[in-house]
């Protein structure tokens, strides 16, 4: 059954089957105190379902936006049905007293994903990441009652993770969604082309573009190093330390390997080493 207008759909969510354990980095893991995990998981489920709508290959842009609008309406209590994950998050926000802004900001990014397929500059990409990634870290901080002095290094870490993911998935994003997050100005500078992402292996020009973008990620990771040092909650310090370690390790791996030839990803040993390096944050 198809809908010309998604406003009459009973449930707008189109879950892809991906979950927390499919992500590069831990999401509300057992490192986090039990009382904080449920709110974080509800936020993640909302984000996951909204992202799946934005990335659906079968929905038209207008349908995606209509469904995301319904998710926001349910989240804000303007309608009661249509998005179970938004309803669950609304209830959680009521219990915790946390602002809905961290969720509605995500929807700004996902609406943009429905219509914007190219990025001209690094500034455009950073602006997108302030809505697609930074709200996640800020929500987790707010759940823990951390201060806003943690926002800046958290933003740096979240934006780093987002750009890492864009590089990992650059070939699939273009092939499946005709979407490319790599800044056109950067590609032009090195004589690379978006169409190079359809090749079975990276070109020398594309490698230079990746290395330059990863240099930006390195600087974000450097700024993010302050996060575990300023977080007050011991267990959250540990979790942010692990995530920061994984971000650095995956950045290095992307610097050495071709994401077109094979998906560059973390290995079990990366988690072990990142966990061990974060142990001092428990003190």
């Amino acid at each position: 059954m198809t809908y010309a207008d998604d406003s009459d759909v009973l449930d707008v969510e189109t879950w892809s089957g991906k979950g927390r354990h499919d992500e590069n980095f831990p999401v509300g893991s057992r490192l986090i105190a039990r009382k904080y995990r449920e709110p974080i998981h509800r936020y993640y489920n909302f984000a996951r379902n909204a992202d799946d709508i934005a990335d659906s290959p079968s929905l038209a842009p207008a349908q995606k936006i209509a469904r995301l609008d319904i998710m926001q309406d349910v989240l804000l209590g303007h309608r009661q049905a249509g998005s179970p994950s938004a309803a669950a998050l609304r209830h959680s926000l009521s219990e915790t007293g946390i602002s809905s802004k961290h969720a509605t900001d995500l929807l700004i990014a996902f609406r943009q994903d429905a219509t914007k397929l190219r990025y001209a500059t690094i500034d455009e990409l950073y602006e997108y990441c302030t809505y697609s990634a930074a709200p996640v870290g800020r929500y987790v901080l707010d759940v823990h009652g951390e201060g806003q002095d943690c926002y800046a290094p958290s933003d740096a870490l979240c934006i780093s993770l987002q750009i890492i993911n864009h590089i990992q998935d650059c070939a699939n994003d273009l092939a499946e969604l005709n979407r490319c997050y790599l800044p056109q100005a950067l590609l032009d500078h090195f004589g690379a082309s978006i169409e190079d992402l359809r090749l079975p292996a990276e070109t020398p020009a594309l490698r230079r573009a990746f290395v330059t973008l990863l240099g930006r990620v390195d600087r974000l990771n450097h700024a993010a190093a302050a996060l575990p040092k300023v977080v007050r909650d011991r267990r959250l310090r540990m979790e942010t330390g692990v995530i920061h370690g994984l971000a650095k390790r995956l950045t290095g791996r992307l610097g050495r390997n071709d994401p077109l030839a094979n998906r560059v990803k973390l290995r079990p040993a990366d988690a072990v080493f990142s966990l061990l390096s974060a142990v001092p944050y428990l003190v």
Side-chain angles (χ1 to χ4, degrees), residues 10 70-88 90-91:
L10 292 177
I70 289 173
M71 289 191 74
Q72 178 160 313
D73 284 345
V74 174
L75 176 72
L76 299 179
H78 299 158
R79 58 183 292 156
Q80 296 305 307
S83 173
S85 68
R90 182 182 71 224
H91 180 69

Side-chain angles (χ1 to χ4, degrees), residues 68 72 101 103-115 119 127-128 130-132:
L68 293 169
Q72 178 160 313
K101 177 176 170 57
T104 56
D105 277 357
L106 284 181
L107 294 178
I108 292 173
F110 295 141
R111 290 189 191 96
Q112 184 167 309
D113 278 335
T115 58
Y119 287 79
E127 175 69 13
Y128 167 79
T130 62
Y131 291 103
S132 67

Side-chain angles (χ1 to χ4, degrees), residues 35 49 53 85 94 98 102-103 114 158 207 217-218 233 238 268:
K35 64 181 178 180
N49 280 286
I53 290 171
S85 68
S94 176
I98 295 174
H102 303 312
C158 291
R207 168 47 40 182
V217 174
D218 275 331
D233 184 274
M238 182 76 168

Side-chain angles (χ1 to χ4, degrees), residues 226-248:
L227 183 58
K229 301 172 185 177
V230 296
V231 166
R232 296 189 301 270
D233 184 274
R234 280 196 321 144
R235 297 180 67 157
L236 182 59
R237 284 203 304 270
M238 182 76 168
E239 172 123 323
T240 56
V242 169
I243 294 172
H244 181 246
L246 292 172
K248 291 194 298 180

Side-chain angles (χ1 to χ4, degrees), residues 189-212:
H189 179 75
F190 291 108
S193 165
I194 288 176
E195 290 303 308
D196 292 343
L197 299 177
R198 301 189 192 278
L199 299 173
E202 63 187 13
T203 63
L206 196 54
R207 168 47 40 182
R208 289 192 287 272
F210 285 145
V211 168
T212 300

Side-chain angles (χ1 to χ4, degrees), residues 13-29 32 36-53 55 68 71 75 83-90 92-93 98 102-104 106-107 110 132-133 135-140 143 161-162 165 239 243 263:
E13 296 177 3
T14 55
W15 185 47
S16 65
K18 294 180 181 178
R20 293 180 291 111
H21 303 295
D22 297 303
E23 304 294 341
N24 278 326
F25 307 96
V27 179
S29 74
I32 296 291
Y36 299 129
R37 287 181 219 155
E38 183 63 24
I40 292 171
H41 294 168
R42 288 192 180 189
Y43 181 86
Y44 173 81
N45 290 339
F46 172 86
R48 176 75 269 159
N49 280 286
D51 193 21
D52 287 343
I53 290 171
D55 287 351
L68 293 169
M71 289 191 74
L75 176 72
S83 173
S85 68
L89 180 57
R90 182 182 71 224
S92 178
L93 294 177
I98 295 174
H102 303 312
T104 56
L106 284 181
L107 294 178
F110 295 141
S132 67
V136 178
R138 293 186 175 201
Y139 174 82
V140 172
V143 164
L161 301 179
Q162 180 74 92
N165 186 251
E239 172 123 323
I243 294 172
R263 192 172 195 274

